[in-house]
Amino acid sequence: MASFVIEGGHRLSGEIHPQGAKNEVLQIICATLLTAEEVTVNNIPDILDVNNLIQLMREMGVTVAKEGIDTYSFRAENVDLAYLESDKFLKKCSSLRGSVMLIGPMVARFGKALISKPGGDKIGRRRLDTHFVGIQNLGADFRYDELRGIYEITADRLQGSYMLLDEASVTGTANILMAAVLAKGTTTIYNAACEPYLQQLCRMLNRMGAKISGIASNLLTIEGVEELHGTQHTVLPDMIEVGSFIGMAAMTKSEITIKNVSYENLGIIPESFRRLGIKLEQRGDDIYVPAQETYEIESFIDGSIMTIADAPWPGLTPDLLSVMLVVATQAKGSVLIHQKMFESRLFFVDKLIDMGAQIILCDPHRAVVIGHNHGFKLRGARLTSPDIRAGIALLIAAMSAEGTSTISNIEQIDRGYQNIEGRLNAIGARITRI
């Protein structure tokens, strides 16, 4: 297992470019199964989760070619349907969270899909009901094989349907959407997720010949078509990385410029950091974060303690709450962090408390952070990354801490962040991979 050794207390300076968005590219790669023609995708990040999905596509019989440093082409002309029923395929799916989004494309195009329970982060229960019920609404039959621990989904031809989702699940909406584009008739999805990454998927599918309307809203209408064709697509910059870099600058009192962030697709993220007292400026499509010796958490208008909570888009993405919690440890003032969507994502705070942070963990969903106002630094410590987002939050804490920290299990960080130590060392960090 690899680890990071971080020498804390160094300020950053310069420019940094966010990678392509992990959460978008996993959907986009799965969507290439919907056509036998070539689909070219640009700005693909070189991270573990994405690389594992690309390799899985190769093993499924998809012709994959690396066309440039971050560009791949996919041609799903001769998919090996027998392999899709093998234990080897199902075992690989179980270790990759994004594999659940193969169901919609496979059932829509090939009439059958087998999938094991997907893996990924240890952040609590992540239901698949929205995926399954939605695709069942399109006429698919589901059967659970207890002996093999797999779901078998079959359909002769999917049929368009009206559905009201029980939750605005991003991956659930994506899965249903990819199934519906080849269904017969019209599908209406109400309470659909509308994140920028899902908007990107809709626009790509429309370029491939799909007929999707209501993009960027929570009411999607899909008129089914007989087939889709190839296209080109460019992945957005990763909003979670952008937010991580903003927090990193504040914690280390650094002046940095985050380049080409697609500001119009960041939603409430910049304003959420401003609520923590962090100054940032939009400069064209860049974000400039000036060096700040201190930053003060706002209060609500009535004087009550600031609460920062996640919510479906256009609310604040849950993937940034771990970062915002760490940033609050050095702010002036107090804040309640309310993680509504996952019940185990705040459990990493015990590691921050060991580093000297003042945090009260109220329950699995809520934590009160009492900021140090840079009055004293966090202490270096031996840490373990429990999931991708907590991993980057702990890295930020270690970079601001006094002394040296070691973070083990950094494979979790590698799943979501491309060459993170190389890019941060280039602007002044001291991070060594061992």
Side-chain angles (χ1 to χ4, degrees), residues 272-315:
S272 298
F273 280 101
R274 289 190 182 102
R275 284 185 162 190
L276 294 179
I278 298 168
K279 295 175 183 175
L280 53 94
E281 300 172 22
Q282 180 185 0
R283 294 183 174 180
D285 203 30
D286 303 339
I287 290 179
Y288 169 72
V289 187
Q292 287 181 254
E293 292 301 314
T294 185
Y295 47 97
E296 184 172 358
I297 298 170
E298 293 180 1
S299 296
F300 286 119
I301 291 172
D302 65 359
S304 58
I305 187 172
M306 175 60 62
T307 298
I308 293 180
D310 57 345
W313 188 270

Side-chain angles (χ1 to χ4, degrees), residues 173-189:
T173 302
N175 226 343
I176 298 164
L177 182 70
M178 289 187 283
V181 291
L182 294 181
K184 185 179 180 181
T186 300
T187 299
T188 304
I189 308 174

